[in-house]
Amino acid sequence: MAEKKKLERLDKILANNGFGTRKEVRHIVSKGFVKVNGIPVKEFDLHVDPENDEIAVGEKYLLHKKNTYFMMNKKAGCVCSAKSDSHDTVFDYMSEEDRQKKIGGSLAIVGRLDVDTEGLLLFTTDGDLNHKLTFPKYEVKKTYLVHLRCKVSDGDKAEYIRKAKSGIHIPACSNDEECDAKPCLIEFLEDDKCTITVTEGRFHEVKRIFIALENEVVYLKRLSMGNLMLDKNLASGEYRPLTEEEIESLKTIVSN
């Protein structure tokens, strides 16, 4: 079956592409300054295909393309927010042009990381994919590298792994009540270093799991989301667009 076209209101598309507020672009449309596929239109609530219809405002054509997708190697010390009075934000590490990407909607973060957490961070204007990657129903796997405060003996490693597989009761925090975390996978690299793979994404989940195990996370880095791995060539704070293959791999894991 052919994929159904995703139509958007004309005034929303124009506003998302920097032609003014909704009120301002409605005025532009009503004055006959906008053409869709070469035909002047005055209906600001007209639904058009943002990827295939040709839209022009005066002599300026909108360069419609598919949604935008970026991967960043987040630095510790910056926050996953558009604004902050006390920290750099992840958007401060992006170019002005990329920060303003709004094809299909505003550029948004996929699954936030704590201020002190590093590693894989995704951005996209694809709201549907963003929702699916972060919605618990889809159980998208996220793997983190963890450094622990206390070394773990061989006997306790087995206990950590066993408890993680069965689902650990984790303590409450400022934004979430105490609960049973979904089963997860812990693999030790050294006595005080391991990876943990979770599928739920509760607030401070990884840190709370190790608190429940009577230890403490002192360093945390996200290595992967689904089958997408952090690009090892990205220095801390650097980012790049996702390849078409990477985009398709993310869409595949939430397609069911």
Short mmCIF file of all heavy atoms in Angstrom, two decimals, residues 82-132:
data_model
loop_
_atom_site.label_atom_id
_atom_site.label_comp_id
_atom_site.label_asym_id
_atom_site.label_seq_id
_atom_site.Cartn_x
_atom_site.Cartn_y
_atom_site.Cartn_z
N ALA A 82 16.70 24.60 25.40
CA ALA A 82 16.94 25.70 24.47
C ALA A 82 17.57 26.90 25.17
O ALA A 82 18.31 27.67 24.56
CB ALA A 82 15.64 26.12 23.81
N LYS A 83 17.31 27.06 26.49
CA LYS A 83 17.83 28.20 27.24
C LYS A 83 18.26 27.75 28.63
O LYS A 83 17.69 26.82 29.20
CB LYS A 83 16.77 29.30 27.36
CG LYS A 83 16.36 29.94 26.05
CD LYS A 83 15.32 31.03 26.29
CE LYS A 83 14.89 31.69 24.97
NZ LYS A 83 13.86 32.74 25.18
N SER A 84 19.27 28.42 29.16
CA SER A 84 19.71 28.16 30.53
C SER A 84 20.46 29.38 31.03
O SER A 84 21.24 29.99 30.31
CB SER A 84 20.62 26.93 30.59
OG SER A 84 21.16 26.76 31.88
N ASP A 85 20.21 29.72 32.30
CA ASP A 85 20.90 30.85 32.91
C ASP A 85 22.26 30.46 33.47
O ASP A 85 23.11 31.33 33.70
CB ASP A 85 20.05 31.44 34.04
CG ASP A 85 18.76 32.06 33.53
OD1 ASP A 85 18.75 32.54 32.38
OD2 ASP A 85 17.76 32.05 34.27
N SER A 86 22.49 29.17 33.70
CA SER A 86 23.70 28.76 34.40
C SER A 86 24.61 27.82 33.61
O SER A 86 25.74 27.57 34.01
CB SER A 86 23.32 28.08 35.72
OG SER A 86 22.41 27.02 35.50
N HIS A 87 24.13 27.27 32.49
CA HIS A 87 24.93 26.33 31.71
C HIS A 87 24.83 26.64 30.21
O HIS A 87 23.87 27.27 29.77
CB HIS A 87 24.47 24.89 31.93
CG HIS A 87 24.62 24.38 33.32
ND1 HIS A 87 23.66 24.54 34.29
CD2 HIS A 87 25.64 23.70 33.91
CE1 HIS A 87 24.05 23.98 35.41
NE2 HIS A 87 25.25 23.47 35.22
N ASP A 88 25.83 26.15 29.45
CA ASP A 88 25.66 26.09 28.01
C ASP A 88 24.53 25.12 27.71
O ASP A 88 24.25 24.21 28.50
CB ASP A 88 26.94 25.58 27.34
CG ASP A 88 28.07 26.60 27.37
OD1 ASP A 88 27.79 27.79 27.57
OD2 ASP A 88 29.23 26.17 27.19
N THR A 89 23.88 25.29 26.57
CA THR A 89 22.88 24.31 26.14
C THR A 89 23.45 23.54 24.95
O THR A 89 24.40 23.99 24.29
CB THR A 89 21.56 24.98 25.72
OG1 THR A 89 21.68 25.52 24.39
CG2 THR A 89 21.17 26.08 26.69
N VAL A 90 22.86 22.39 24.68
CA VAL A 90 23.34 21.60 23.55
C VAL A 90 23.18 22.35 22.24
O VAL A 90 23.95 22.15 21.30
CB VAL A 90 22.62 20.24 23.49
CG1 VAL A 90 23.03 19.35 24.65
CG2 VAL A 90 21.09 20.40 23.46
N PHE A 91 22.20 23.25 22.17
CA PHE A 91 22.00 24.02 20.94
C PHE A 91 23.11 25.05 20.73
O PHE A 91 23.33 25.49 19.61
CB PHE A 91 20.63 24.70 20.97
CG PHE A 91 19.48 23.75 20.85
CD1 PHE A 91 18.75 23.36 21.96
CD2 PHE A 91 19.12 23.22 19.61
CE1 PHE A 91 17.70 22.48 21.86
CE2 PHE A 91 18.06 22.33 19.49
CZ PHE A 91 17.35 21.95 20.63
N ASP A 92 23.82 25.42 21.79
CA ASP A 92 24.94 26.34 21.65
C ASP A 92 26.07 25.74 20.83
O ASP A 92 26.94 26.47 20.32
CB ASP A 92 25.49 26.75 23.02
CG ASP A 92 24.53 27.62 23.80
OD1 ASP A 92 23.74 28.36 23.17
OD2 ASP A 92 24.54 27.56 25.05
N TYR A 93 26.11 24.43 20.69
CA TYR A 93 27.16 23.74 19.95
C TYR A 93 26.78 23.51 18.49
O TYR A 93 27.55 22.91 17.74
CB TYR A 93 27.50 22.41 20.63
CG TYR A 93 28.15 22.59 21.97
CD1 TYR A 93 27.39 22.73 23.12
CD2 TYR A 93 29.53 22.67 22.09
CE1 TYR A 93 27.98 22.93 24.36
CE2 TYR A 93 30.13 22.86 23.32
CZ TYR A 93 29.34 22.99 24.46
OH TYR A 93 29.93 23.20 25.68
N MET A 94 25.62 24.01 18.09
CA MET A 94 25.15 23.85 16.72
C MET A 94 25.22 25.18 15.99
O MET A 94 25.18 26.25 16.61
CB MET A 94 23.71 23.32 16.70
CG MET A 94 23.51 22.04 17.49
SD MET A 94 21.81 21.42 17.41
CE MET A 94 21.87 20.59 15.82
N SER A 95 25.33 25.12 14.68
CA SER A 95 25.34 26.34 13.89
C SER A 95 23.97 27.00 13.95
O SER A 95 22.95 26.34 14.21
CB SER A 95 25.70 26.03 12.43
OG SER A 95 24.63 25.33 11.80
N GLU A 96 23.94 28.30 13.71
CA GLU A 96 22.66 29.03 13.71
C GLU A 96 21.71 28.44 12.67
O GLU A 96 20.51 28.29 12.93
CB GLU A 96 22.91 30.50 13.41
CG GLU A 96 21.66 31.37 13.37
CD GLU A 96 20.97 31.47 14.73
OE1 GLU A 96 21.63 31.29 15.76
OE2 GLU A 96 19.74 31.72 14.73
N GLU A 97 22.25 28.09 11.51
CA GLU A 97 21.40 27.53 10.45
C GLU A 97 20.75 26.23 10.89
O GLU A 97 19.55 26.02 10.70
CB GLU A 97 22.23 27.28 9.19
CG GLU A 97 21.44 26.67 8.05
CD GLU A 97 22.30 26.36 6.84
OE1 GLU A 97 23.53 26.56 6.91
OE2 GLU A 97 21.73 25.89 5.83
N ASP A 98 21.54 25.34 11.50
CA ASP A 98 20.99 24.05 11.91
C ASP A 98 20.02 24.20 13.09
O ASP A 98 19.05 23.45 13.19
CB ASP A 98 22.12 23.09 12.28
CG ASP A 98 22.87 22.59 11.06
OD1 ASP A 98 22.28 22.60 9.96
OD2 ASP A 98 24.04 22.20 11.20
N ARG A 99 20.28 25.15 13.97
CA ARG A 99 19.37 25.36 15.10
C ARG A 99 17.98 25.78 14.63
O ARG A 99 16.99 25.55 15.32
CB ARG A 99 19.91 26.45 16.05
CG ARG A 99 21.09 26.02 16.89
CD ARG A 99 21.25 26.92 18.09
NE ARG A 99 21.48 28.31 17.75
CZ ARG A 99 22.68 28.86 17.57
NH1 ARG A 99 23.77 28.11 17.68
NH2 ARG A 99 22.80 30.13 17.29
N GLN A 100 17.91 26.39 13.45
CA GLN A 100 16.65 26.92 12.96
C GLN A 100 15.91 25.94 12.04
O GLN A 100 14.90 26.29 11.45
CB GLN A 100 16.89 28.23 12.19
CG GLN A 100 17.47 29.34 13.04
CD GLN A 100 16.60 29.68 14.23
OE1 GLN A 100 15.38 29.73 14.12
NE2 GLN A 100 17.22 29.88 15.39
N LYS A 101 16.41 24.70 11.94
CA LYS A 101 15.73 23.72 11.09
C LYS A 101 14.31 23.52 11.58
O LYS A 101 14.08 23.23 12.74
CB LYS A 101 16.46 22.38 11.12
CG LYS A 101 17.90 22.42 10.58
CD LYS A 101 17.94 22.65 9.09
CE LYS A 101 19.38 22.51 8.58
NZ LYS A 101 19.49 22.83 7.15
N LYS A 102 13.34 23.67 10.67
CA LYS A 102 11.95 23.57 11.09
C LYS A 102 11.07 22.88 10.05
O LYS A 102 9.88 23.06 10.03
CB LYS A 102 11.38 24.96 11.38
CG LYS A 102 11.99 25.63 12.60
CD LYS A 102 11.32 26.94 12.88
CE LYS A 102 11.90 27.60 14.13
NZ LYS A 102 11.26 28.89 14.42
N ILE A 103 11.69 22.09 9.16
CA ILE A 103 10.88 21.39 8.18
C ILE A 103 10.00 20.37 8.91
O ILE A 103 10.50 19.46 9.56
CB ILE A 103 11.76 20.67 7.15
CG1 ILE A 103 12.67 21.69 6.45
CG2 ILE A 103 10.91 19.91 6.14
CD1 ILE A 103 11.94 22.75 5.68
N GLY A 104 8.69 20.54 8.84
CA GLY A 104 7.78 19.62 9.50
C GLY A 104 7.62 19.89 10.98
O GLY A 104 6.88 19.19 11.67
N GLY A 105 8.31 20.89 11.51
CA GLY A 105 8.23 21.18 12.93
C GLY A 105 9.58 21.62 13.46
O GLY A 105 10.60 21.52 12.79
N SER A 106 9.63 22.10 14.68
CA SER A 106 10.87 22.61 15.25
C SER A 106 11.85 21.48 15.54
O SER A 106 11.45 20.35 15.84
CB SER A 106 10.57 23.37 16.55
OG SER A 106 9.76 24.50 16.29
N LEU A 107 13.13 21.79 15.47
CA LEU A 107 14.17 20.83 15.82
C LEU A 107 14.08 20.52 17.30
O LEU A 107 14.09 21.42 18.14
CB LEU A 107 15.55 21.40 15.48
CG LEU A 107 16.73 20.45 15.61
CD1 LEU A 107 16.64 19.35 14.56
CD2 LEU A 107 18.03 21.21 15.46
N ALA A 108 13.98 19.25 17.64
CA ALA A 108 13.78 18.85 19.03
C ALA A 108 14.76 17.75 19.41
O ALA A 108 15.26 17.01 18.58
CB ALA A 108 12.35 18.37 19.25
N ILE A 109 15.02 17.65 20.71
CA ILE A 109 15.91 16.63 21.26
C ILE A 109 15.14 15.33 21.42
O ILE A 109 13.99 15.32 21.84
CB ILE A 109 16.47 17.10 22.61
CG1 ILE A 109 17.27 18.40 22.44
CG2 ILE A 109 17.32 16.02 23.26
CD1 ILE A 109 17.55 19.11 23.75
N VAL A 110 15.80 14.23 21.12
CA VAL A 110 15.21 12.90 21.29
C VAL A 110 15.79 12.27 22.55
O VAL A 110 16.92 11.82 22.58
CB VAL A 110 15.52 12.00 20.08
CG1 VAL A 110 14.86 10.63 20.25
CG2 VAL A 110 15.08 12.66 18.78
N GLY A 111 15.02 12.25 23.62
CA GLY A 111 15.50 11.62 24.84
C GLY A 111 16.62 12.40 25.50
O GLY A 111 17.79 12.25 25.16
N ARG A 112 16.29 13.24 26.44
CA ARG A 112 17.27 14.14 27.05
C ARG A 112 18.29 13.38 27.89
O ARG A 112 18.01 12.30 28.40
CB ARG A 112 16.56 15.18 27.92
CG ARG A 112 15.62 16.07 27.12
CD ARG A 112 14.73 16.92 28.02
NE ARG A 112 13.82 17.71 27.21
CZ ARG A 112 14.09 18.93 26.77
NH1 ARG A 112 15.25 19.50 27.06
NH2 ARG A 112 13.22 19.59 26.04
N LEU A 113 19.46 14.00 28.03
CA LEU A 113 20.51 13.50 28.91
C LEU A 113 20.73 14.50 30.04
O LEU A 113 20.61 15.71 29.83
CB LEU A 113 21.82 13.29 28.14
CG LEU A 113 21.83 12.21 27.06
CD1 LEU A 113 23.16 12.20 26.31
CD2 LEU A 113 21.55 10.83 27.65
N ASP A 114 21.11 14.02 31.22
CA ASP A 114 21.39 14.89 32.35
C ASP A 114 22.56 15.81 32.04
O ASP A 114 23.38 15.53 31.16
CB ASP A 114 21.73 14.07 33.59
CG ASP A 114 20.58 13.19 34.03
OD1 ASP A 114 19.43 13.48 33.66
OD2 ASP A 114 20.84 12.21 34.76
N VAL A 115 22.69 16.89 32.78
CA VAL A 115 23.74 17.87 32.55
C VAL A 115 25.13 17.23 32.63
O VAL A 115 26.04 17.60 31.89
CB VAL A 115 23.61 19.05 33.54
CG1 VAL A 115 23.76 18.58 34.98
CG2 VAL A 115 24.63 20.15 33.23
N ASP A 116 25.32 16.24 33.51
CA ASP A 116 26.63 15.64 33.68
C ASP A 116 26.82 14.38 32.84
O ASP A 116 27.85 13.71 32.94
CB ASP A 116 26.89 15.31 35.16
CG ASP A 116 25.84 14.39 35.76
OD1 ASP A 116 24.81 14.18 35.10
OD2 ASP A 116 26.05 13.90 36.88
N THR A 117 25.86 14.02 32.01
CA THR A 117 25.95 12.83 31.18
C THR A 117 26.43 13.19 29.78
O THR A 117 26.04 14.21 29.22
CB THR A 117 24.57 12.13 31.09
OG1 THR A 117 24.14 11.79 32.41
CG2 THR A 117 24.66 10.86 30.26
N GLU A 118 27.28 12.34 29.23
CA GLU A 118 27.85 12.56 27.90
C GLU A 118 27.26 11.58 26.90
O GLU A 118 26.48 10.70 27.24
CB GLU A 118 29.38 12.37 27.96
CG GLU A 118 30.10 13.28 28.93
CD GLU A 118 31.60 13.05 28.94
OE1 GLU A 118 32.08 12.17 28.18
OE2 GLU A 118 32.29 13.75 29.70
N GLY A 119 27.66 11.75 25.64
CA GLY A 119 27.40 10.72 24.64
C GLY A 119 26.31 11.02 23.64
O GLY A 119 25.98 12.17 23.36
N LEU A 120 25.74 9.95 23.11
CA LEU A 120 24.83 10.03 21.97
C LEU A 120 23.56 10.81 22.30
O LEU A 120 22.82 10.46 23.20
CB LEU A 120 24.44 8.61 21.53
CG LEU A 120 23.44 8.52 20.37
CD1 LEU A 120 24.03 9.11 19.10
CD2 LEU A 120 23.02 7.06 20.14
N LEU A 121 23.35 11.87 21.52
CA LEU A 121 22.14 12.67 21.64
C LEU A 121 21.63 12.92 20.23
O LEU A 121 22.38 13.32 19.35
CB LEU A 121 22.43 14.00 22.34
CG LEU A 121 21.23 14.88 22.68
CD1 LEU A 121 20.33 14.18 23.69
CD2 LEU A 121 21.67 16.24 23.22
N LEU A 122 20.33 12.67 20.03
CA LEU A 122 19.73 12.85 18.72
C LEU A 122 18.83 14.08 18.71
O LEU A 122 18.21 14.42 19.71
CB LEU A 122 18.90 11.62 18.34
CG LEU A 122 19.64 10.29 18.26
CD1 LEU A 122 18.67 9.17 17.89
CD2 LEU A 122 20.78 10.37 17.26
N PHE A 123 18.78 14.72 17.53
CA PHE A 123 17.88 15.86 17.29
C PHE A 123 17.13 15.56 16.00
O PHE A 123 17.68 15.03 15.04
CB PHE A 123 18.67 17.16 17.07
CG PHE A 123 19.57 17.57 18.19
CD1 PHE A 123 20.81 16.96 18.35
CD2 PHE A 123 19.22 18.59 19.06
CE1 PHE A 123 21.66 17.35 19.37
CE2 PHE A 123 20.06 18.99 20.07
CZ PHE A 123 21.29 18.37 20.23
N THR A 124 15.86 15.94 15.95
CA THR A 124 15.11 15.78 14.71
C THR A 124 13.91 16.72 14.68
O THR A 124 13.42 17.16 15.72
CB THR A 124 14.63 14.32 14.53
OG1 THR A 124 14.02 14.19 13.25
CG2 THR A 124 13.64 13.92 15.61
N THR A 125 13.46 16.98 13.46
CA THR A 125 12.19 17.69 13.26
C THR A 125 11.06 16.69 13.02
O THR A 125 9.91 17.09 12.84
CB THR A 125 12.28 18.63 12.04
OG1 THR A 125 12.64 17.86 10.88
CG2 THR A 125 13.32 19.72 12.26
N ASP A 126 11.39 15.41 13.03
CA ASP A 126 10.42 14.34 12.78
C ASP A 126 9.73 13.99 14.10
O ASP A 126 10.20 13.15 14.87
CB ASP A 126 11.16 13.13 12.20
CG ASP A 126 10.20 12.02 11.76
OD1 ASP A 126 9.06 11.99 12.24
OD2 ASP A 126 10.62 11.19 10.93
N GLY A 127 8.61 14.64 14.37
CA GLY A 127 7.92 14.45 15.63
C GLY A 127 7.42 13.04 15.85
O GLY A 127 7.42 12.53 16.97
N ASP A 128 7.00 12.38 14.78
CA ASP A 128 6.48 11.02 14.90
C ASP A 128 7.58 10.06 15.34
O ASP A 128 7.40 9.25 16.26
CB ASP A 128 5.89 10.58 13.57
CG ASP A 128 5.30 9.18 13.63
OD1 ASP A 128 4.38 8.96 14.43
OD2 ASP A 128 5.78 8.30 12.88
N LEU A 129 8.76 10.16 14.71
CA LEU A 129 9.88 9.29 15.09
C LEU A 129 10.35 9.61 16.50
O LEU A 129 10.65 8.69 17.28
CB LEU A 129 11.03 9.44 14.10
CG LEU A 129 12.26 8.59 14.40
CD1 LEU A 129 11.91 7.10 14.33
CD2 LEU A 129 13.40 8.91 13.44
N ASN A 130 10.42 10.88 16.85
CA ASN A 130 10.83 11.29 18.19
C ASN A 130 9.92 10.64 19.23
O ASN A 130 10.39 10.06 20.23
CB ASN A 130 10.77 12.81 18.30
CG ASN A 130 11.45 13.34 19.56
OD1 ASN A 130 11.64 12.63 20.53
ND2 ASN A 130 11.82 14.60 19.53
N HIS A 131 8.62 10.70 19.00
CA HIS A 131 7.66 10.11 19.94
C HIS A 131 7.90 8.61 20.10
O HIS A 131 7.93 8.08 21.22
CB HIS A 131 6.24 10.38 19.46
CG HIS A 131 5.18 9.65 20.22
ND1 HIS A 131 4.81 10.01 21.50
CD2 HIS A 131 4.44 8.55 19.88
CE1 HIS A 131 3.87 9.17 21.92
NE2 HIS A 131 3.63 8.29 20.97
N LYS A 132 8.07 7.93 18.99
CA LYS A 132 8.21 6.48 19.03
C LYS A 132 9.53 6.06 19.70
O LYS A 132 9.57 5.04 20.40
CB LYS A 132 8.11 5.90 17.62
CG LYS A 132 6.70 5.97 17.04
CD LYS A 132 6.65 5.41 15.64
CE LYS A 132 5.21 5.42 15.11
NZ LYS A 132 5.12 4.91 13.73
#
